[in-house]
Amino acid sequence: DTPQTDARPLAFPPGFVWGAATAAYQIEGAARDDGRGPSIWDTFSRVPGKVAGGDTGDVACDHYHRFRDDIGLMAGLGLPAYRFSVAWPRVQPDGSGPVNPRGIGFYDRLVDEVLQAGITPYATLYHWDLPQALEDRGGWTARDTALRFADYTGIVHDRLADRVDTWTTVNEPWVAAYLGYAAGVHAPGRTSAADAFRAAHHLLVAHGLATRRLRDGGARRVSLTLNLAPIVAGGTSEQDAAAADLVDAMLNRQFLDPVLHGAYAEPVLAVAARHGGLDHVRGDDLTVIAEPIDSLGINYYNPTYVAAAPGTPPNPAYPGCAGIAFPPAVPPLTAMGWPIVPDGLGDLLVRLSRDYPGVPLVVTENGAAFDDVPDADGRVRDDARIRYLDGHLRAAHAALTAGADLRGYLVWSLLDNFEWAEGYGKRFGIVYVDYADGRRLPKDSARWFRDVIARNGLGGEPA
Ligand code: PNW
């Protein structure tokens, strides 16, 4: 009764890194414990109508109290790597100033436990939980937030550098800036194009300053994680191609070009110039942003489909981009309503290796939400997730064969968790979480992934 996947056995290169990813606000809970300060997600999730079901991260998976069990679970699945994020408001409750020893102490114990289990920790410094005190002073629209982030980075690095080799500065600056400051569907819930352009730039400056701080402290590996997607035009007209190119500039090149080529793409500058101007882009910002990185993290879920549609007002997440339609997704879809297109990952990896050669790539998130329900014996038969992961790994393998420099693959996510604006209703985990009692049930996909890792590839039998 195993799900049918494309049955060809595929071996990944020796040393390929396998693992699972999480983020602090989505799993930790303990929102008021041990001196943690409020973050923008604590505030935003309390605004009526912003998060499905009125859910908040107050308790989440209670990982803050259950981290030892969760790491035991990972060890049982044979996960070689674990990507987690550090909550800035635990470390510095006000986003600046004194360090909260109990807050950073949690990550100290977490890292010890991860290493004890034989797992390599990958630490992300910012996964969207900005201290509310900094938002009150402008949030990411303020350059000062980037400077504060560099200080915070130094604090965390000084404490964990002896045990953590691989650091990611910022997770998905596009989502943080455009869903948070333009579309208003993520914290802090603002709806200003100018704010979003400023936020995006300051998130990149934050990345660059933090990278410098990590280097100065002797960090061995520094990376940045971007949400990237192939942009697919619905038609073949020149207008369709132009629409796809503009969306590609906004979603992908806005971040790839400054970090890896040292300059913003022309269309990004043009759109930003029309929305509040470019005063926030200062002297040597591009030099800071282009500080070399050791790998690029890629979060891939699905392609973005566009079509030229004269007269269409801009999509709220793409301010300044009028005349572009985002047609409804075509099945098969995940529970998020996101299309399942494994080849999009392969195309993306090949394109990145072609357009941005020289930087090793790691898939830092890939996965899917489905309507998982445990049966009477507590088994979760998530065949659809196995097929999703199998298909994406086959596409990643094909990209490797085509020359993409892919070094690892981390599944999103270890646990079902707080899926931001969707709350707890959307389950991305390879481990099911019963929110009534906190119980964890590894899904069929967790056992399947364990076998993939054990053989460093996909088996010949139907997975
Ligand atoms: C990523 N979009 O978020 C995040 O890094 C995770 O924290 C999150 O749980 C996961 O993907 C699944 O959503 C995204 O609308 C949220 O394009 C939204 C989008 C992309 C990524």
Side-chain angles (χ1 to χ4, degrees):
D1 60 341
T2 43
Q4 210 62 44
T5 64
D6 180 349
R8 221 152 36 91
L10 289 178
F12 279 73
F16 193 80
V17 177
W18 299 98
T22 64
Y25 190 74
Q26 295 182 272
I27 65 166
E28 286 179 359
R32 288 174 197 79
D33 284 39
D34 294 340
R36 176 185 175 281
S39 82
I40 56 174
W41 272 96
D42 296 291
T43 307
F44 183 75
S45 60
R46 285 179 168 70
V47 178
K50 290 298 187 184
V51 176
D55 293 345
T56 74
D58 285 1
V59 178
C61 306
D62 197 29
H63 173 75
Y64 191 78
H65 298 113
R66 297 169 180 261
F67 72 95
R68 291 205 163 80
D69 292 343
D70 289 338
I71 292 163
L73 214 54
M74 283 191 259
L77 295 174
L79 292 180
Y82 174 47
R83 172 180 182 247
F84 64 95
S85 82
V86 177
W88 188 351
R90 285 198 195 282
V91 174
Q92 284 180 298
D94 292 326
S96 59
V99 176
N100 170 30
R102 287 173 299 165
I104 191 136
F106 170 69
Y107 298 102
D108 202 79
R109 296 193 300 280
L110 177 75
V111 165
D112 280 345
E113 194 77 16
V114 166
L115 289 169
Q116 194 71 46
I119 299 170
T120 303
Y122 281 34
T124 295
L125 289 156
Y126 185 70
H127 201 127
W128 308 352
D129 42 2
L130 186 72
Q132 181 62 41
L134 292 184
E135 177 60 25
D136 296 343
R137 285 155 41 194
W140 287 110
T141 68
R143 169 172 294 262
D144 187 61
T145 298
L147 307 184
R148 301 288 71 78
F149 180 69
D151 290 347
Y152 151 74
T153 294
I155 292 165
V156 178
H157 185 256
D158 287 350
R159 180 66 175 262
L160 303 180
D162 57 335
R163 286 155 292 152
V164 176
D165 281 349
T166 304
W167 296 86
T168 297
T169 54
V170 172
N171 179 72
E172 300 190 350
W174 182 87
V175 172
Y178 289 91
L179 299 191
Y181 289 81
V185 296
H186 277 194
R190 296 204 230 171
T191 51
S192 152
D195 284 353
F197 286 110
R198 295 173 69 91
H201 181 69
H202 292 144
L203 280 154
L204 284 171
V205 172
H207 156 73
L209 292 174
T211 299
R212 283 194 172 165
R213 182 61 184 75
L214 289 163
R215 297 278 180 226
D216 290 347
R220 279 173 282 268
R221 279 196 293 278
V222 181
S223 74
L224 164 71
T225 279
L226 301 176
N227 57 299
L228 300 172
I231 312 301
V232 182
T236 53
S237 73
E238 222 170 279
Q239 290 81 350
D240 285 321
D245 187 71
L246 182 56
V247 171
D248 183 61
M250 300 306 294
L251 181 72
N252 298 318
R253 276 137 59 205
Q254 181 170 7
F255 302 92
L256 290 165
D257 283 4
V259 172
L260 298 170
H261 289 166
Y264 275 115
E266 201 47 53
V268 174
L269 291 175
V271 175
R274 292 201 302 273
H275 292 84
L278 291 166
D279 289 355
H280 56 282
V281 182
R282 300 221 192 131
D284 71 340
D285 281 359
L286 271 304
T287 313
V288 171
I289 294 170
E291 198 66 42
I293 53 175
D294 302 295
S295 66
L296 178 70
I298 296 152
N299 296 350
Y300 171 78
Y301 290 93
N302 50 261
T304 296
Y305 296 93
V306 301
T312 308
N315 178 299
Y318 290 90
C321 303
I324 300 175
F326 292 78
V330 172
L333 305 175
T334 71
M336 294 291 281
W338 294 351
I340 301 174
V341 187
D343 285 347
L345 176 59
D347 294 346
L348 178 64
L349 294 170
V350 169
R351 180 254 178 124
L352 291 170
S353 287
R354 183 194 65 212
D355 292 352
Y356 304 90
V359 61
L361 308 174
V362 176
V363 173
T364 40
E365 291 182 21
N366 175 242
F370 290 106
D371 296 322
D372 304 311
V373 183
D375 68 16
D377 339 304
R379 181 167 166 199
V380 181
R381 297 168 189 263
D382 59 339
D383 297 5
R385 181 171 292 99
I386 293 175
R387 281 192 300 271
Y388 180 100
L389 298 175
D390 181 86
H392 285 75
L393 285 173
R394 287 178 192 282
H397 191 277
L400 270 165
T401 305
D405 188 8
L406 179 65
R407 304 295 179 91
Y409 176 95
L410 310 179
V411 68
W412 183 269
S413 178
L414 176 69
L415 302 171
D416 291 339
N417 61 50
F418 177 79
E419 178 48 34
W420 307 114
E422 304 295 334
Y424 296 100
K426 298 289 182 268
R427 296 178 173 274
F428 274 90
I430 57 171
V431 175
Y432 183 92
V433 175
D434 183 336
Y435 294 108
D437 58 11
R439 224 158 29 112
R440 274 72 162 140
L441 302 170
K443 303 175 189 178
D444 283 359
S445 60
R447 287 177 283 272
W448 173 85
F449 195 48
R450 178 192 62 199
D451 295 344
V452 169
I453 294 167
R455 64 165 92 83
N456 195 36
L458 303 170
E461 79 285 8

